[in-house]
Amino acid sequence: VILLLNRGRWMSKLLKSHEYRGNIPYSGVGVPVLPWICDRRFGLKAPPSRDPRRSSWDVHTRFYCHVKPSLYSYLNAQHGSIFNLEFSPDGKTLAVAYEMRTIAISDPCTERWVHNVPEAHSEAINFIRFIDDRLFASCSDDMLVKLWDLRMLGKPFATLRGHSHWVKNVEFLPESSTLLTSAFDRQILAWDINTYHEECEGPKPRKLMSVDLLCRMAVSNSSPRQLVLTLTEDYVVIVHNLQLSSLCNKTISEEDLEASAVREVLGSMTDIAIEDERCPSAAGSANEIEIVSSLYPEPCGGWAISSVAVHPHSWCVVVRYNRPFEFITQGVTRLSEYEFCSVLDLHPRGSEGGEKPPSRLLHFTTETNTDPDFIKEVSFSPDGRIICSPFGFGIRLLAFNPSLGEMCDERPEKPSTLFELKTLVTHDRAVVVGKFSPTQFILATGCLHGQLVYHRPFAS
């Protein structure tokens, strides 16, 4: 036993040595793959000064450098364009939202279709959000939100009515069993699903906010929660320390947004807080509302922020801009050749003593403008180190820095360009969504041709 232990320690030291690293995959930062596997084999732990979870993620993240489309993963259900994908929390199920009113269920392990729900809605399905491993909610252009059970997909077990325009987002807050929905009617509604009974029509909505130019919505995962709203102009609205019990009928008008823009032009604060008796401006108070503008180094008025994703640790948020291919500016018709993504800091701010706070813009990058009339959904990997962004007929994997480290490891002094890790072109039409599995090294992408492709790491 002593000889084996000594041999294990000697081999681990050899693999970690600079002489041996020239012959193994190594990125120069963090833990190399082969030494990490050897340490795990012989029960050696990471140094006490380093969080062992971060050492594991150093290796896990680099697996995405080797993802390729699986050989038999080109699945086409003939239901029109794919608009959204969503993995269940346990990673065993993938729900697919189709343009032609269908929800399809796929097994990521076998890469096969399991079930189709035709006519799940009467219009295009925009978004799916899992409540737990078997329950999920879907929303559609038919202005309805429906709740489904994977064990009984013949019909929804609840239908939520309350919006008067296309419903674009559904979020779930497990601590209060509340669904949040947003739509193009400018309304954000809350639904207490615990009040649902089969004898009744369904839970009644409670109006939380009315926001002019509202486009998309996302909620952070950690507490205190933050509500992020993107608009059809160059604005993002952040509700810090979200408390649903004290948020009711809050209105943000175009005048509030214009006031924020005027302050920026005058050289005052870039971000402003809207104050009322429910939303005080002091740092740490409940439902503090912040309007953020100037989300890209260049002027970008008139762009719609059509996609938003929150970092798994709630450190930042990535948003994607798009605009129609032809647009008019200063009376001249121009052609838009690109879209772009921006990464914004999401940490609450304390009092700045009247000084202009630093910009929330951390990173940015330009994207292609293929099929500009469609929303391109961005997403984070489970560790939050990689961003998946649709790019033409494929996707790009983007990182905060070349070492694939945490966002906090190398915080830029000024906004910097995202690092392009890998580009995958695997579809015959524009890709509009890509999602990471929460439990496995699987990346799923969907395109306007209705094609679903699974990607897994393969040895080169």
Side-chain angles (χ1 to χ4, degrees):
V1 173
I2 294 175
L3 289 175
L4 287 174
L5 289 175
N6 289 334
R7 181 185 178 187
R9 293 189 178 96
W10 172 82
M11 184 176 293
S12 178
K13 290 179 181 180
L14 174 62
L15 290 171
K16 290 180 179 180
S17 66
H18 295 284
E19 292 78 9
Y20 198 79
R21 281 179 176 175
N23 300 320
I24 62 174
Y26 182 63
S27 67
V29 177
V31 181
V33 176
L34 192 54
W36 178 79
I37 294 174
C38 187
D39 286 350
R40 287 287 301 271
R41 177 183 177 187
F42 291 103
L44 302 180
K45 298 181 179 180
S49 59
R50 183 177 179 86
D51 187 340
R53 292 173 298 178
R54 295 194 59 187
S55 298
S56 297
W57 282 123
D58 283 345
V59 177
H60 294 172
T61 303
R62 281 197 291 278
F63 278 111
Y64 291 111
C65 301
H66 307 284
V67 292
K68 297 179 182 179
S70 298
L71 184 60
Y72 302 105
S73 66
Y74 289 82
L75 307 181
N76 197 326
Q78 305 296 331
H79 299 302
S81 302
I82 292 178
F83 280 178
N84 193 250
L85 304 171
E86 181 71 7
F87 282 94
S88 60
D90 59 7
K92 297 180 180 179
T93 303
L94 177 70
V96 185
Y98 278 95
E99 175 190 16
M100 302 300 290
R101 307 178 296 277
T102 297
I103 295 176
I105 305 299
S106 175
D107 184 350
C109 296
T110 62
E111 300 181 358
R112 295 291 185 267
W113 294 117
V114 176
H115 194 84
N116 284 340
V117 186
E119 303 299 328
H121 286 265
S122 59
E123 298 290 343
I125 302 171
N126 297 317
F127 199 82
I128 292 175
R129 176 66 73 198
F130 271 89
I131 297 174
D132 56 28
D133 293 338
R134 58 182 178 85
L135 305 179
F136 66 91
S138 63
C139 63
S140 166
D141 285 351
D142 62 7
M143 302 178 289
L144 300 179
V145 178
K146 296 185 178 182
L147 304 183
W148 305 85
D149 191 329
L150 288 174
R151 301 168 299 180
M152 187 180 61
L153 289 170
K155 64 177 182 178
F157 66 85
T159 300
L160 311 182
R161 297 176 172 85
H163 285 288
S164 59
H165 211 297
W166 302 339
V167 187
K168 289 296 183 181
N169 277 93
V170 181
E171 297 289 345
F172 179 65
L173 278 62
E175 64 271 15
S176 58
S177 298
T178 301
L179 282 177
L180 299 185
T181 59
S182 68
F184 279 0
D185 59 5
R186 307 180 303 171
Q187 306 299 318
I188 299 175
L189 304 181
W191 314 75
D192 184 0
I193 60 176
N194 282 336
T195 61
Y196 168 75
H197 299 284
E198 293 186 359
E199 300 80 19
C200 305
E201 295 183 355
K204 301 299 181 182
R206 183 168 67 89
K207 180 179 176 181
L208 298 182
M209 301 179 69
S210 176
V211 182
D212 285 351
L213 309 177
L214 177 63
C215 187
R216 303 298 300 276
M217 172 190 72
V219 178
S220 63
N221 297 322
S222 58
S223 182
R225 291 187 180 273
Q226 294 166 295
L227 177 65
V228 182
L229 312 174
T230 68
L231 311 185
T232 55
E233 294 289 344
D234 182 24
Y235 298 102
V236 169
V237 177
I238 305 174
V239 182
H240 297 283
N241 193 15
L242 179 64
Q243 301 291 335
L244 297 182
S245 59
S246 58
L247 182 63
C248 183
N249 288 325
K250 178 63 189 174
T251 300
I252 299 179
S253 64
E254 290 191 54
E255 289 74 17
D256 297 321
L257 302 174
E258 292 171 358
S260 173
V262 168
R263 288 198 174 198
E264 180 183 355
V265 171
L266 295 178
S268 182
M269 295 176 60
T270 304
D271 312 324
I272 67 172
I274 300 176
E275 302 180 20
D276 66 6
E277 58 186 17
R278 291 186 305 276
C279 303
S281 60
S285 56
N287 302 322
E288 180 186 357
I289 297 179
E290 181 182 3
I291 299 177
V292 185
S293 59
S294 293
L295 308 179
Y296 197 74
E298 301 175 3
C300 50
W303 292 72
I305 308 177
S306 59
S307 177
V308 57
V310 179
H311 191 278
H313 306 314
S314 307
W315 294 343
C316 64
V317 59
V318 58
V319 296
R320 175 143 179 175
Y321 288 73
N322 74 330
R323 75 190 313 169
F325 188 71
E326 294 186 357
F327 62 96
I328 299 177
T329 177
Q330 298 179 353
V332 179
T333 301
R334 302 177 183 272
L335 299 180
S336 177
E337 299 178 355
Y338 62 91
E339 302 176 3
F340 56 86
C341 287
S342 295
V343 177
L344 312 177
D345 182 16
L346 206 55
H347 290 92
R349 291 171 175 167
S351 174
E352 301 290 340
E355 298 180 0
K356 180 179 177 178
S359 172
R360 286 197 176 274
L361 178 63
L362 299 176
H363 303 275
F364 60 91
T365 188
T366 58
E367 304 281 7
T368 60
N369 197 29
T370 309
D371 286 295
D373 295 332
F374 291 91
I375 292 174
K376 316 296 194 312
E377 300 282 5
V378 291
S379 63
F380 279 101
S381 61
D383 59 356
R385 299 189 184 192
I386 297 179
I387 297 170
C388 176
S389 181
F391 190 78
F393 290 1
I395 53 99
R396 285 199 304 177
L397 300 182
L398 306 170
F400 300 117
N401 45 64
S403 63
L404 309 185
E406 300 278 12
M407 186 188 75
C408 58
D409 290 339
E410 299 181 24
R411 184 182 177 89
E413 296 182 358
K414 61 180 181 179
S416 62
T417 305
L418 287 166
F419 173 72
E420 182 177 341
L421 175 64
K422 193 179 186 68
T423 300
L424 295 168
V425 180
T426 55
H427 291 263
D428 55 6
R429 284 288 305 277
V431 174
V432 294
V433 60
K435 289 291 181 71
F436 293 91
S437 169
T439 59
Q440 306 174 65
F441 295 109
I442 298 177
L443 172 63
T445 57
C447 72
L448 295 179
H449 196 214
Q451 194 177 59
L452 171 66
V453 178
Y454 284 108
H455 304 74
R456 299 175 184 271
F458 287 91
S460 300

